[in-house]
Amino acid sequence: MYMENVSKNGVRALVASGIILASASSHAAITCISPPALLNPLVYSGKCPGESGFPIPIKARGRDVSVTLPSNKICSRSMTITDARNITVTGGHFVYNYATPAVITIKNTSGTTFMDGLYIDVNKKYADGIRVYNHKGRLIVQNSLFKGVSGTRYGVHGDIVHAQDGGPLQELTLQNVTGYTGYQGLFTPYRPGSGHGTRKLTLHRVNVAYDPTVSKKSLKLLYIGSADNSTDRVPDLG
């Protein structure tokens, strides 16, 4: 049985064969990170991905991107942003019904990606809630709820948030985030060879739990690497 004690920003957890037991002060004040400044951004407001004026993917070609998702309807298709500098994504409710193996994908960037106020129901699809790859910057997710994450051993390993190869992220920060998963939760080991994971991980008021509506058991709720593993390393910058 794999077992590891994890301590991160006041959160203590025991990870054993995919089970996490966590405790943290629910009354400690936290300061949420502010969104990055945007310079002459591409702006998408009040529309769902795939609707007229909201392409899939958004090809930023080095520009900043600002997305404000609608508050009066539910989105069902994936959102992909490529080759951006800084990105902000605000609000939005997804009930996912699309083939891409992630509800939100960010790739080919070294800037700051900031997401706030998301409600993502992966809807039992084999998909991540958020995935990034070829991302060497910062990913910040705040005030968001995830549910319905699913996956399969020989296919897509669905995660709430997944920092995939081509990075690593310089920093991954989650603040006021809750996720329910039937497969994986946070899988962030730093792999220098492939650029997987993150070099710094910050968790503030983060709750990750098993979703019994999706599967009979989850695979791993939280795995950030191991100090004695040369491949799956813990974040080396904290």
Side-chain angles (χ1 to χ4, degrees), residues 2 4-8 15 186-190 198 201 203 220 222-227 232-235:
Y2 174 78
E4 181 177 1
N5 284 298
V6 177
S7 179
K8 200 72 178 173
V15 181
L186 296 179
F187 188 78
T188 63
Y190 169 38
T198 183
L201 178 64
L203 306 177
K220 280 187 173 71
L222 171 65
Y223 183 56
I224 63 172
S226 175
D232 284 349
R233 302 182 184 181
V234 295

Side-chain angles (χ1 to χ4, degrees), residues 44 46-49 54 67-71 75 79 89-92 94 118:
Y44 303 88
K47 296 182 178 181
C48 286
F54 197 137
V67 176
T68 303
L69 292 163
S71 59
C75 302
M79 181 176 77
V89 179
T90 304
F94 287 86
L118 292 166

Side-chain angles (χ1 to χ4, degrees), residues 5-20:
N5 284 298
V6 177
S7 179
K8 200 72 178 173
N9 296 299
V11 178
R12 291 184 177 84
L14 178 66
V15 181
S17 298
I19 301 173
I20 176 173

Side-chain angles (χ1 to χ4, degrees), residues 4 13 18 44 49 59 73 75-77 102 104 112 134 145-146 166 184 203 208 217 219 223:
E4 181 177 1
Y44 303 88
K59 297 180 180 180
K73 56 185 170 182
C75 302
S76 62
R77 297 184 66 179
I104 296 177
T112 295
N134 293 338
L145 173 65
F146 300 80
Q184 293 185 161
L203 306 177
V208 182
K217 65 178 181 179
L219 182 64
Y223 183 56

